[in-house]
Amino acid sequence: MVKTFQDIPHQRPTTPILDAIETPSDMRKLERGKLTALADEIRAYLLYCVGKTGGHFGAGLGVVELTIALHYVFNTPHDRLVWDVGHQTYPHKILTGRREEMLTMRQQGGLSGFPKRSESVFDTFGVGHSSTAMSAALGMAIAASKQETDRKTAAIVGDGAMTAGMAFEAINHAAHVDANLLVILNDNQMSISRNVGGLSTYFSKLWSSKAYTQFRETGKKALSSMPGTSNFVRRTEEFMKSLVSPATIFEELGFYYVGPLDGHDLNLMVETLDNLKDVKGAILLHIITHKGRGFGPAESDPVGYHALTKIEPKQDLQSAEPPLTTQKLPKYQKVFGDWLCDMAEKDEGLIAITPAMCEGSGMNEFAEKFPDRFEDVAIAEQHALTLAAGMACEGSKPVVAIYSTFLQRAYDQLIHDIALQDLDVLFAIDRAGLVGEDGATHAGAFDITYLRCIPNMVVMTPSDENETRQLLYTGYRYKGPAAVRYPRGTGPGANIEKDMTEFPIGKGIVCRNGVEVAILNFGTLIGVATSVADQINATVADMRFVKPLDEELIEKLVHQHDLLVTIEENSVAGGAGAAVSEYLASTGLITPIIHLGLPDHFADHGKHHEQLQSVGLGEASVLEAIKSRLKLLRRGSTKAS
């Protein structure tokens, strides 16, 4: 086991068995006795790679034996492996021809941190959101059945993905169709945070519940006076437990249940999978694994070491902090978390809700200070929103902290259960815009677009840390559905005012006066907008609100300038700029306008600044776009005269 940071190899480890494997077919030629040594080499190589590049690694360390066993038993890629929760798949990538590319992980032009169909034939389904594997794998299995092929299909469900409703929708369907599907429940009792409502927790709570214990004790008392009943009482208690065991539950749903088994026992995994691969119908194999297996700090703190930041060679490893922690500037998640605690002190009606993103959303302190007002609903975004709707119906003020890309999963609930009823819910939308190394699956590229078309919604786009705090307060004070979107990571370092100020709804501000060009900024690209404006003496308006728009300010800027430029870190299609053009069209105002935002394609992973440059939102690209349009306008003006 690697016990400390100092033990993470800075030089490439010696991996003679792994070096001889280019694809799983090479591994299948190995004697089974060599697989344990291969597992050790994969762990060492995984720690080496992630130490160089940063990235997820706790979940991957936990499935090394499972990954080896799957590729050893199944004829991949002909047989389909569908992974749930994509950050489990680093060992899978190592074994499927991408070992040398692991040092490019999550870098621009390098490997994705998640399964990606365009990256490898072994990546059968792209994964970003959790709880999709069973539905996708079932679709593949049904297709194989209809095509009368002998292809095997396995879904590997881990890191809490079984807590989502979509997983149970697939389970409900799988038992009633003519398809052969193996579902492997990788039970490590973790998602990114600790599981909420996980199966093992559920069963433990059930067996220790007052209802169960009262029934048990009442039965014991009733039978205690009868001679020779002690064995009967014991057998009755075992029967009661069996009624609510995982085996009973899954078999009642139509699955053939096997387990739970030790997922780190490689021989057992190989033998079990070999026995199950030709069994017909729906099978659920329940295995127990340990997230972070083989790396001491991650085993003891799987939440803190879910991912690892790049380790620099000169770093003082002895005093190294757990990954993903402090920076000099506060992250937007910290700004939100601090505001949430401050607001809760002022209003006892505040209840915070998150779908399994407590740490990621900066809610740790709130959860500790106000545990009775904190609801982590597990990976269940749809439930989170309708839960908030129910709370709002009874006079509470729910604050739903949710990633932009995860809110997409609950769009019907947002419209039908909250906006349609004009319920008083505040959405703190995290990871708005591009998210760097996590890439397209996690990018909040569409929230302005999909929010602003919903009646009753107020949509706010703060430009820095202080505006984030103040607009959260503004949205909280507003009586109705409101959303504040903010990005991942740190801001420009604005002074954060402790006092909370309610901004006028639908009003922006002019933060720089210039001539000829007016840049309408929506969100945290204010630094780019201001820097460009300084070079061409343009006006900059911090719009703050996408909905309602500051129509008065827009009209004023139209009359005072020759060119409007809208800028946002959201899809141009249907975004904030489109809202401005729609308004101008509705009033008959005609003026040249440029919409700068995310183009009509998915931005690949890389550093955030690299992503901005690649989509034309870097300073140089914005400046060039404006200068080019001005040149055309001036040329047209000269011809007209």
Side-chain angles (χ1 to χ4, degrees):
M1 174 187 290
V2 178
K3 296 181 178 180
T4 66
F5 271 102
Q6 295 104 310
D7 298 324
I8 293 178
H10 294 291
Q11 300 298 322
R12 180 175 177 141
T14 302
T15 55
I17 302 175
L18 180 60
D19 291 346
I21 297 171
E22 281 301 315
T23 66
S25 61
D26 298 322
M27 184 184 65
R28 289 191 280 270
K29 299 173 185 176
L30 293 177
E31 297 176 3
R32 190 182 298 185
K34 292 186 176 182
L35 296 182
T36 300
L38 174 61
D40 293 338
E41 291 185 7
I42 290 175
R43 277 198 173 86
Y45 188 73
L46 177 60
L47 285 167
Y48 162 72
C49 292
V50 179
K52 293 287 187 182
T53 65
H56 301 100
F57 81 129
L61 289 171
V63 296
V64 170
E65 289 83 5
L66 174 61
T67 305
I68 291 172
L70 285 165
H71 283 293
Y72 193 74
V73 171
F74 289 97
N75 182 28
T76 55
H78 174 74
D79 292 335
R80 309 302 200 214
L81 302 182
V82 185
W83 294 89
D84 218 325
V85 188
H87 48 249
Q88 293 186 99
T89 55
Y90 286 19
H92 162 80
K93 288 182 183 251
I94 290 172
L95 285 172
T96 53
R98 288 167 279 181
R99 182 177 69 254
E100 298 304 322
E101 295 176 88
M102 290 297 290
L103 294 176
T104 70
M105 181 70 69
R106 293 157 51 90
Q107 299 171 20
Q108 190 175 43
L111 292 182
S112 168
F114 302 94
K116 190 174 182 181
R117 282 174 55 84
S118 61
E119 188 177 288
S120 170
V121 295
F122 291 93
D123 290 359
T124 60
F125 196 74
V127 181
H129 293 167
S130 81
S131 313
T132 59
M134 280 187 284
S135 296
L138 181 59
M140 294 176 188
I142 292 172
S145 176
K146 293 184 181 301
Q147 295 164 9
E148 298 182 349
T149 68
D150 63 349
R151 181 180 298 124
K152 311 295 189 301
T153 308
I156 304 94
V157 182
D159 265 27
M162 192 65 87
T163 63
M166 186 174 176
F168 284 93
E169 292 174 19
I171 287 174
N172 182 62
H173 185 207
H176 303 287
V177 296
D178 180 22
N180 301 320
L181 174 67
L182 172 62
V183 175
I184 300 171
L185 172 56
N186 171 29
D187 184 359
N188 60 14
Q189 302 182 31
M190 296 292 298
S191 53
I192 294 174
S193 307
R194 296 191 180 275
N195 276 349
V196 177
L199 289 174
S200 61
T201 304
Y202 168 74
F203 299 131
S204 297
K205 287 182 177 180
L206 185 60
W207 291 333
S208 63
S209 68
K210 289 182 179 179
Y212 176 78
T213 54
Q214 184 176 6
F215 175 83
R216 181 183 62 185
E217 294 305 317
T218 301
K220 283 182 178 180
K221 289 179 181 178
L223 295 169
S224 61
S225 59
M226 300 173 61
T229 58
S230 59
N231 188 53
F232 174 72
V233 171
R234 178 183 58 79
R235 292 176 64 186
T236 300
E237 184 170 2
E238 290 176 355
F239 174 71
M240 288 298 298
K241 279 193 174 183
S242 73
L243 289 178
V244 291
S245 73
T248 302
I249 290 174
F250 285 114
E251 288 184 356
E252 285 298 318
L253 289 168
F255 276 75
Y256 174 54
Y257 174 89
V258 178
L261 304 177
D262 181 359
H264 297 298
D265 187 332
L266 231 174
N267 285 327
L268 178 61
M269 284 293 94
V270 170
E271 290 174 6
T272 303
L273 290 171
D274 197 46
N275 290 335
L276 292 176
K277 69 176 182 179
D278 292 318
V279 176
K280 304 299 183 182
I283 307 163
L284 190 135
L285 172 60
H286 184 179
I287 68 171
I288 306 297
T289 62
H290 195 165
K291 190 171 183 177
R293 175 84 167 194
F295 180 55
E299 288 192 15
S300 59
D301 182 13
V303 175
Y305 292 90
H306 168 71
L308 188 71
T309 53
K310 179 180 178 180
I311 298 175
E312 301 295 341
K314 295 182 180 180
Q315 182 179 352
D316 181 3
L317 299 177
Q318 185 69 35
S319 61
E321 292 290 330
L324 305 182
T325 54
T326 58
Q327 292 188 17
K328 291 182 179 180
L329 296 175
K331 294 182 178 180
Y332 279 98
Q333 293 69 41
K334 178 72 163 59
V335 175
F336 165 69
D338 289 346
W339 170 83
L340 191 65
C341 290
D342 293 343
M343 196 68 238
E345 295 281 2
K346 294 177 177 291
D347 186 357
E348 294 182 354
L350 184 153
I351 300 176
I353 302 170
T354 180
M357 287 289 116
C358 177
E359 285 80 13
S361 295
M363 303 173 77
N364 304 55
E365 185 179 352
F366 180 89
E368 293 174 3
K369 285 186 175 181
F370 306 97
D372 58 333
R373 294 156 66 185
F374 174 68
E375 297 291 339
D376 186 338
V377 302
I379 304 172
E381 295 87 357
Q382 294 173 320
H383 168 61
L385 266 66
T386 305
L387 178 74
M391 290 177 177
C393 286
E394 300 303 320
S396 294
K397 179 74 180 198
V399 177
V400 180
I402 189 167
Y403 290 10
S404 170
T405 188
F406 296 159
L407 183 56
Q408 295 165 185
R409 309 186 84 179
Y411 196 53
D412 178 67
Q413 287 71 26
L414 176 61
I415 296 172
H416 185 274
D417 296 343
I418 294 177
L420 181 63
Q421 303 183 90
D422 200 18
L423 292 175
D424 194 10
V425 179
L426 174 64
F427 293 91
I429 301 179
D430 195 352
R431 269 60 169 187
L434 301 175
V435 291
E437 292 86 348
D438 281 345
T441 60
H442 285 59
F446 311 108
D447 54 81
I448 289 178
T449 300
Y450 69 67
L451 287 172
R452 76 175 189 86
C453 65
I454 302 175
N456 294 330
M457 285 294 304
V458 169
V459 184
M460 292 168 270
T461 57
S463 62
D464 59 31
E465 303 94 328
N466 185 55
E467 273 199 7
T468 299
R469 178 178 174 85
Q470 307 309 331
L471 286 175
L472 283 166
Y473 179 69
T474 302
Y476 189 86
R477 295 277 298 167
Y478 177 77
K479 301 303 180 184
V484 180
R485 77 184 303 258
Y486 49 88
R488 177 186 185 182
T490 58
N495 178 51
I496 302 174
E497 299 171 8
K498 182 67 176 176
D499 291 340
M500 288 185 271
T501 303
E502 185 175 355
F503 288 173
I505 296 292
K507 291 297 178 183
I509 58 170
V510 173
C511 48
R512 188 192 190 284
N513 284 299
V515 297
E516 198 170 13
V517 177
I519 303 175
L520 284 63
N521 173 75
F522 295 88
T524 53
L525 291 174
I526 188 73
V528 172
T530 302
S531 180
V532 169
D534 287 342
Q535 297 176 63
I536 58 174
N537 192 23
T539 294
V540 177
D542 179 9
M543 298 302 293
R544 290 181 174 170
F545 292 83
V546 175
K547 186 178 183 180
L549 279 171
D550 190 339
E551 297 171 353
E552 182 180 354
L553 178 57
I554 292 171
E555 289 195 27
K556 179 180 177 181
L557 294 172
V558 167
H559 291 306
Q560 294 177 346
H561 299 83
D562 300 326
L563 174 66
L564 293 192
V565 180
T566 65
I567 185 167
E568 61 192 298
E569 202 169 333
N570 181 85
S571 169
V572 168
V580 173
S581 285
E582 289 166 12
Y583 170 69
L584 293 176
S586 71
T587 60
L589 287 171
I590 300 174
T591 191
I593 188 167
I594 304 174
H595 297 319
L596 300 178
L598 303 182
D600 191 23
H601 64 78
F602 292 103
D604 215 346
H605 56 277
K607 298 291 184 184
H608 184 244
H609 69 88
E610 294 173 340
Q611 289 183 312
L612 289 179
Q613 291 170 1
S614 72
V615 297
L617 290 176
E619 181 181 319
S621 298
V622 171
L623 181 61
E624 178 58 31
I626 295 173
K627 284 184 173 180
S628 295
R629 181 61 63 87
L630 283 175
K631 187 181 296 184
L632 289 174
L633 290 174
R634 290 164 182 164
R635 185 182 303 164
S637 176
T638 302
K639 289 181 178 180
S641 62

